[in-house]
Amino acid sequence: MVLVAVIAAAGYGGYRWWHERPPYGPEVPAFAATAEQLPSGDGQELRHHGHTVFVRKDEMAISGSITWRPPAGRGSDWDEDGWFMIFVVDKRVDLMPPRVWGTSPSGLEVVSGGDGVQNRIAEKYPWLRGAGDIKTDENTWRDGGMTLATTPAAGEVDFIAMFPPIPVGDPARRFVAAAPVTLSDIMIAVAFVGPDRQVYWAERVYG
């Protein structure tokens, strides 16, 4: 029985290693990123990277572009090829903005929102702890800001991230990144999530 248990454990360990082994590393896509600060808000609309956004008074906006080489032989099926999650983080406070939009010149879908896998990313990569939920007390966690996700086949994502001011007496805003913010405060990172929600790797691409 001991021998059977050892063989079973070794088999599971081998399967897990194979299952969590990334099909390629971050050096293959060779990420590059740029960012710029848009004019401060005074109740105006801005058109940028295909988005029309309304910038409220004292709100700040940062736009950027992330490019990479789509891995050869990989399609655009998230269920087969996994997906890239793109994080815009205020590294001063390890928080993400409450609103971020993205598009890809490839025409492939870019989703804005959040996903529970972010907590495993934050746990695996402490420098990216801003990707995960925020602990409010011993047994309570709260969602933070928003992130982007797209297929590795996209090759490029353009985004706009919005940073609102913190209203006086609004403690809830401590869960999201807020104005004032500058480019030197910003970090952009990409994490590769596998089709079975494996966290393959994360790469810091800006800031």
Side-chain angles (χ1 to χ4, degrees):
M1 293 296 292
V2 174
L3 179 59
V4 172
V6 169
I7 293 173
Y12 173 74
Y15 167 77
R16 184 172 180 179
W17 174 85
W18 175 84
H19 186 254
E20 297 183 0
R21 181 171 177 263
Y24 50 86
E27 73 283 355
V28 172
F31 296 100
T34 59
E36 64 178 301
Q37 192 147 12
L38 301 183
S40 297
D42 57 2
Q44 64 182 355
E45 283 189 347
L46 289 177
R47 180 76 177 172
H48 201 71
H49 283 320
H51 296 281
T52 300
V53 294
F54 182 80
V55 186
R56 303 180 181 93
K57 180 175 174 56
D58 297 325
E59 190 171 31
M60 301 183 77
I62 287 179
S63 73
S65 181
I66 304 155
T67 59
W68 64 89
R69 292 194 299 261
R74 299 283 167 173
S76 58
D77 188 336
W78 295 38
D79 292 330
E80 292 185 4
D81 303 298
W83 64 92
F84 289 161
M85 298 193 78
I86 299 168
F87 302 96
V88 181
V89 179
D90 182 343
K91 59 190 178 185
R92 298 171 300 173
V93 290
D94 289 320
L95 294 173
M96 296 184 294
R99 294 186 291 154
V100 59
W101 297 277
T103 57
S104 174
S106 69
L108 294 171
E109 184 179 28
V110 180
V111 177
S112 178
D115 190 285
V117 74
Q118 293 172 218
N119 291 321
R120 288 194 282 117
I121 294 170
E123 182 179 356
K124 186 172 182 179
Y125 299 96
W127 57 267
L128 192 47
R129 56 186 174 272
D133 290 343
I134 300 144
K135 190 173 185 178
T136 58
D137 59 41
E138 188 62 29
N139 299 304
T140 307
W141 297 78
R142 174 163 174 165
D143 293 343
M146 300 179 73
T147 187
L148 300 172
T150 191
T151 169
E156 180 177 348
V157 166
D158 301 319
F159 71 85
I160 297 180
M162 309 298 295
F163 298 82
I166 302 176
V168 175
D170 186 357
R173 285 301 176 92
R174 71 180 182 273
F175 299 111
V176 296
V181 65
T182 67
L183 289 179
S184 63
D185 302 324
I186 296 300
M187 174 182 70
I188 302 171
V190 179
F192 184 16
V193 180
D196 293 325
R197 308 178 71 77
Q198 312 98 309
V199 179
Y200 284 141
W201 44 254
E203 178 84 345
R204 188 172 182 152
V205 299
Y206 180 94

